[in-house]
Amino acid sequence: KLLIFGDPHMGNINYKPDFFSFMVKTSKEEKVDLVLCTGDIFDGWYQNRPSSIFEQNAIGFDQQMKLAVNELSKFDKPLYFITGNHSYNTFVRGAGVEAGPYLEDKLCHMGLEAHYLGNGEGDVSLGSGTKIRLLHPDGGTAYAISYKSQKIVESLTGGEKPNMLLIGHFHKAEYIIYRNVHVLQTATLCGQTKFMKGKGIPAHIGFWIVDVYSKKGGEISRIKPEYFPAYK
């Protein structure tokens, strides 16, 4: 049983801490086995967008790291996560620091089993051999919600495809099966930002709890995705 979420953008004023607490509470009630996050834990800070600082209530690396550690340490099950463009394009390019290893280390010191899988992409293997790929791609959203998911799966090399593909970045919620890959877009925990509103891009706020049944060798024989949306 997996808890799956992405794009909380901690540090942004549109991040939903109350909904995050609800997600943690739900994960404990549902007795999940693993927690998976598809990136953009941090909002970062784009220096080429000076006005973005007015959309933040935790500014810079130290404040956003403190917030992320405080929030993520509420989990009581192993956490696997990647970082995304908001961390890479700001903290890495602007200051030469990758937040993922720091976050993993701090969470482990807090007593949480945490695993940083890399920037943009990382794989998790379940005991049965089921491969789950966490992905935080680049590029903008598309008019049709499934378009990006389908194009990404089409690009995967045959024989090297994961059994599940979890896609962040687009702030959308979706589940499809394509080329025998179970694909979820992992939604967001951040409301529509000024940038998204200006571009006419909606934010799907929510998270997933997914029951996965697999055969020896990793093939998924049964799956039950359940989406928990947030409404104002």
Side-chain angles (χ1 to χ4, degrees):
K1 180 171 282 193
L2 310 173
L3 170 66
I4 299 169
F5 73 100
D7 293 270
H9 288 267
M10 295 179 187
N12 192 287
I13 59 174
N14 296 289
Y15 164 61
K16 306 291 185 184
D18 291 344
F19 192 67
F20 184 90
S21 296
F22 168 70
M23 181 177 70
V24 172
K25 178 175 178 288
T26 303
S27 74
K28 294 178 179 179
E29 292 173 347
E30 294 289 327
K31 297 181 172 59
V32 304
D33 299 298
L34 297 176
V35 179
L36 307 176
C37 178
T38 56
D40 275 358
I41 292 172
F42 310 94
D43 197 49
W45 182 50
Y46 282 85
Q47 297 181 27
N48 62 340
R49 302 180 199 164
S51 63
S52 66
I53 198 170
F54 298 107
E55 294 186 63
Q56 295 185 330
N57 51 23
I59 301 167
F61 182 87
D62 290 339
Q63 289 190 29
Q64 291 183 19
M65 179 63 68
K66 182 178 180 180
L67 176 60
V69 171
N70 180 66
E71 293 287 71
L72 294 171
S73 63
K74 296 174 183 176
F75 288 119
D76 60 359
K77 295 296 181 180
L79 168 68
Y80 293 81
F81 69 96
I82 59 176
T83 49
N85 60 299
H86 272 253
S87 174
Y88 185 82
N89 290 342
T90 62
F91 296 148
V92 175
R93 288 182 172 176
V97 58
E98 171 56 81
Y102 282 87
L103 181 57
E104 178 190 271
D105 183 66
K106 288 179 179 293
L107 288 172
C108 287
H109 276 87
M110 295 282 287
L112 177 68
E113 182 183 338
H115 302 272
Y116 170 58
L117 303 176
N119 178 73
E121 184 176 334
D123 290 345
V124 176
S125 293
L126 304 183
S128 60
T130 302
K131 185 185 346 183
I132 303 175
R133 179 160 299 158
L134 283 63
L135 182 67
H136 196 97
D138 287 325
T141 190
Y143 174 75
I145 292 174
S146 66
Y147 178 80
K148 291 287 186 173
S149 302
Q150 290 177 251
K151 296 302 290 183
I152 289 169
V153 174
E154 285 173 6
S155 74
L156 298 175
T157 302
E160 299 179 6
K161 304 191 305 292
N163 302 102
M164 289 183 66
L165 177 63
L166 312 179
I167 302 174
H169 182 62
F170 300 116
H171 296 208
K172 300 296 182 290
E174 174 200 23
Y175 169 67
I176 61 172
I177 305 172
Y178 190 43
R179 292 187 69 199
N180 205 31
V181 179
H182 296 265
V183 186
L184 287 97
Q185 288 199 61
T186 56
T188 180
L189 302 181
C190 183
Q192 188 186 47
T193 64
K194 184 177 180 181
F195 173 82
M196 293 175 69
K197 189 174 183 179
K199 297 287 186 180
I201 302 171
H204 296 179
I205 305 169
F207 61 91
W208 296 88
I209 289 183
V210 182
D211 285 303
V212 179
Y213 302 82
S214 55
K215 301 176 182 179
K216 187 176 181 180
E219 181 183 350
I220 294 175
S221 57
R222 178 183 168 195
I223 188 169
K224 186 172 72 173
E226 186 176 5
Y227 182 61
F228 292 75
Y231 299 103
K232 289 186 178 180

